[in-house]
Amino acid sequence: MPFLELDGIRIHFRLEGEGDNVVVLVNGLADDLDTWMLQVPDLVDHGYKVLTFDNRGVGQSDKPMGPYSTALMAADTKQLVDALSITNFHLVGVSMGGMIAQEYAIRHGSDLASLTLACTYAAPGRFCGRMFQFWQDLAPVMGLSAVMRDVLLWAFTPKFFAERDEDAEEFESSLRFITQPIPAYLSQLAAIQGHDTEEALSTIRTQTLVLAGEEDILIPVSLQRELHGRIPEARWATTPGGHACMWEYPAEFNQSLLSFLDGITLQNVAPS
């Protein structure tokens, strides 16, 4: 697996596909680059080159002392794409990754062909703030595996647990082997607790899609609607499922994403 040393931090990344148009995917809280295992094949099959990477604090990337911020992790992303000479790319972020992507678009919008913000918010508000405080209190006492088992109940829909018991068991079993250190998790958690782009989103001029799971209760759809309303001319779309719609309904999530990306790509193709 390739690594890059960026301003004192080593970032683990993966670059797949042969297309001229690059999609950069940014992960959520406590998730490594395999977050996108159900998206990358479809993107590659549609002719895109895809960059995935482990944010600081997770996976095989370095885990320096925190706290972190979404602006700091956006700076990591900027250094990574610059080091790989990637320009005019499609930036896609989910949950915390969507917050990082907002910060990137605010600061470096000229780099982007498009922006997709999935299952994310501009600021946490009181509901999410209370939930994250609970996770912060719980993690040092019961461990990260216990926290993430609780997160599963917020991320997937009741229908998922009722009708896809084997899949639910597989997700829960995988959490027994989670390796992210508690300090690194708390540092990432601090980033989403402190994220607030409400006033700056109006400066974004990149073509943007805000994509929500219809039953998202972890980041309520109302917060995602507020995010959408703050970005000039942003598009809005939903897919079946909740916060984990990209895993629960990957075909529908991928279709919504690809419909947007393919439209942008076609616009950028010069007429023959």
Side-chain angles (χ1 to χ4, degrees):
M1 294 290 182
F3 294 85
L4 278 175
E5 189 82 23
L6 306 172
D7 195 22
I9 180 172
R10 192 176 69 152
I11 295 291
H12 170 235
F13 71 95
R14 185 183 294 155
L15 197 56
E16 301 173 73
E18 301 297 331
D20 294 329
N21 296 293
V22 180
V23 179
V24 177
L25 303 174
V26 192
N27 326 319
L29 175 68
D31 291 330
D32 64 16
L33 53 75
D34 286 329
T35 290
W36 302 99
M37 59 188 174
L38 301 178
Q39 281 68 54
V40 171
D42 276 0
L43 289 166
V44 170
D45 286 348
H46 274 72
Y48 292 99
K49 182 178 288 187
V50 182
L51 173 66
T52 54
F53 62 98
D54 295 334
N55 290 309
R56 66 167 62 212
V58 76
Q60 297 182 55
S61 290
D62 285 346
K63 303 168 184 65
M65 292 298 294
Y68 308 157
S69 68
T70 52
L72 176 63
M73 288 188 277
D76 293 339
T77 307
K78 172 64 172 171
Q79 290 187 64
L80 178 62
V81 297
D82 284 353
L84 295 171
S85 300
I86 294 173
T87 58
N88 195 36
F89 60 91
H90 302 281
L91 182 60
V92 181
V94 65
S95 197
M96 182 184 77
M99 302 172 207
I100 296 168
Q102 292 167 46
E103 294 282 10
Y104 194 106
I106 290 164
R107 290 165 169 76
H108 312 292
S110 61
D111 291 353
L112 303 181
S114 76
L115 174 67
T116 300
L117 306 173
C119 307
T120 193
Y121 57 55
R126 292 185 178 180
F127 173 80
C128 289
R130 285 175 179 265
M131 178 169 53
F132 300 152
Q133 183 63 55
F134 174 72
W135 296 351
Q136 179 181 320
D137 294 343
L138 184 64
V141 178
M142 295 191 65
L144 187 52
S145 179
V147 175
M148 297 307 291
R149 287 169 63 193
D150 179 69
V151 172
L152 286 183
L153 297 174
W154 293 89
F156 289 91
T157 64
K159 183 177 180 180
F160 177 77
F161 291 100
E163 299 182 0
R164 295 169 58 182
D165 188 59
E166 289 187 7
D167 290 340
E169 288 286 348
E170 183 177 347
F171 272 102
E172 187 165 333
S173 295
S174 69
L175 296 176
R176 297 172 187 158
F177 306 102
I178 195 165
T179 60
Q180 186 180 28
I182 293 296
Y185 169 76
L186 294 176
S187 294
Q188 286 196 339
L189 185 60
I192 67 172
Q193 289 171 301
H195 178 76
D196 187 345
T197 54
E198 287 185 338
E199 298 305 317
L201 289 172
S202 63
T203 67
I204 292 177
R205 295 295 179 265
T206 305
Q207 295 189 70
T208 301
L209 171 68
V210 177
L211 179 59
E214 294 168 353
E215 298 178 67
D216 197 338
I217 58 173
L218 197 158
I219 294 182
V221 175
S222 60
L223 288 183
Q224 301 181 56
R225 274 289 192 186
E226 289 179 18
L227 168 68
H228 167 258
R230 290 180 178 273
I231 301 173
E233 300 184 19
R235 305 181 199 181
W236 172 261
T238 63
T239 69
H243 194 69
C245 55
M246 62 187 290
W247 297 332
E248 188 172 351
Y249 292 95
E252 292 85 347
F253 180 95
N254 295 355
Q255 182 56 52
S256 294
L257 175 60
L258 282 164
S259 293
F260 175 65
L261 297 182
D262 289 348
I264 300 295
T265 299
L266 287 173
Q267 288 177 27
N268 291 340
V269 174
S272 56

